[in-house]
Amino acid sequence: MSVQEPQDQFGRESVEDEIEESQDSVDETPLADSDVSPSDAESIDVPTDESTSSSEESTPVEDSEEFGIPAIESMPVSSSDELPAPEPTEEPAWYVIHCYSGYENKVRHNLEQRIETMGMKDKIFDVVIPTQEEIEVKDGKRRTVERHIFPGYVLVNMALTEESWYVVRNTPGVTGFVGMGNNPTPLRPEEVAQIVKRMEAEAPTVKVTFKVGERVRIIDGPFNDFRGVVSEIDMERTKVRVMVSFFGRETPVELDFLQVEKA
């Protein structure tokens, strides 16, 4: 699925300047009764305390600032049902909508169904959940998993009109647009380019579960099953240096990320 770069219609400043709102208040925003129509009431399950398994798979990649990607998780969300429709624009752009973490796929499915049944393909063009492949080491086994880059957020490419805004805003599971007041804030072209870069990365990233100073166990190589303390982490080379006690002396051993695990 390709991502089209938007135009910056609103002439706003950087998205990073709008992230003063507290994320805690966003995550606790419940689904309003008006968000779910009677016909759609059963199309999404309201998350409970037991829905931890689905949200685990949406763990954010922790190095988003390294790529200059906006801190979407801290952007304000316009979730009030009292707000009027925003000022329309016919130019397509990418907008961000908020939903419950772990329910991104369900929201995308609901929105795509509404686009089809309500004949909005000429105004809402694409719905994308930014993901990235990641190598995870667990219980001595390696597996490749797909992680959500921005858990709880979905990207929508659309021409912002009163009709398209209403269709997206009232999709079951959507708690609001990211933006100020009743004006959804479009992503800038460079922000979209950075997200696309992450999604199209050829080599999966490695999930690092340890930090400098923590104790780890070596699970591969000549020092298999040795334990030591992490002294240095090289993210660029995906290498870690571990201080291992060998013949009564502390010896530095350089290993690949996949050769160690948290003890």
Side-chain angles (χ1 to χ4, degrees), residues 6-253:
Q7 299 181 9
D8 192 0
Q9 306 91 341
F10 292 91
R12 62 172 176 78
E13 296 180 354
S14 170
V15 173
E16 291 86 342
D17 295 334
E18 303 174 2
I19 63 175
E20 298 297 329
E21 293 293 329
S22 171
Q23 174 61 28
D24 292 337
S25 61
V26 173
D27 290 338
E28 295 175 0
T29 305
L31 285 175
D33 292 338
S34 59
D35 287 344
V36 183
S37 62
S39 60
D40 291 323
E42 298 181 357
S43 60
I44 184 168
D45 299 321
V46 177
T48 65
D49 293 337
E50 299 176 356
S51 59
T52 56
S53 60
S54 59
S55 61
E56 282 182 0
E57 291 303 315
S58 9
T59 302
V61 179
E62 298 177 351
D63 59 344
S64 58
E65 294 182 358
E66 177 184 344
F67 292 83
I69 296 177
I72 290 180
E73 294 88 340
S74 301
M75 295 180 185
V77 177
S78 55
S79 57
S80 173
D81 297 324
E82 303 293 330
L83 293 175
E87 296 182 4
T89 175
E90 295 299 325
E91 294 295 331
W94 285 97
Y95 296 89
V96 184
I97 57 177
H98 182 264
C99 65
Y100 285 104
S101 179
Y103 285 75
E104 299 88 353
N105 292 332
K106 189 70 173 178
V107 167
R108 179 175 62 181
H109 175 72
N110 288 341
L111 180 53
E112 289 175 343
Q113 280 192 327
R114 285 170 64 84
I115 294 171
E116 180 73 27
T117 57
M118 300 180 75
M120 296 298 294
K121 289 185 176 180
D122 60 332
K123 292 183 174 64
I124 306 175
F125 311 110
D126 207 354
V127 183
V128 171
I129 301 173
T131 59
Q132 181 182 39
E133 285 191 344
E134 185 176 88
I135 297 176
E136 180 182 72
V137 179
K138 191 173 184 180
D139 298 328
K141 298 180 181 179
R142 307 177 187 183
R143 63 171 184 157
T144 301
V145 297
E146 190 175 69
R147 298 291 188 187
H148 291 170
I149 299 176
F150 303 115
Y153 294 88
V154 178
L155 306 186
V156 181
N157 184 239
M158 57 188 284
L160 188 64
T161 66
E162 183 174 354
E163 295 82 6
S164 63
W165 176 86
Y166 181 85
V167 169
V168 175
R169 179 65 188 82
N170 289 280
T171 296
V174 175
T175 59
F177 275 92
V178 168
M180 299 299 294
N182 66 320
N183 288 318
T185 303
L187 293 174
R188 296 180 302 165
E190 56 267 31
E191 294 168 344
V192 176
Q194 291 294 338
I195 295 174
V196 172
K197 179 181 178 181
R198 292 285 295 276
M199 294 176 63
E200 295 181 346
E202 294 183 2
T205 60
V206 179
K207 181 180 179 180
V208 178
T209 59
F210 44 82
K211 300 177 181 179
V212 173
E214 288 188 333
R215 193 168 180 79
V216 294
R217 183 172 71 93
I218 301 173
I219 59 175
D220 187 35
F223 292 93
N224 184 34
D225 210 31
F226 273 65
R227 284 168 170 77
V229 177
V230 176
S231 63
E232 183 180 344
I233 297 176
D234 190 334
M235 295 298 299
E236 185 175 344
R237 297 173 55 235
T238 67
K239 298 289 185 182
V240 57
R241 180 169 293 178
V242 179
M243 300 302 294
V244 178
S245 180
F246 193 63
F247 293 120
R249 298 180 58 184
E250 290 292 319
T251 303
V253 179

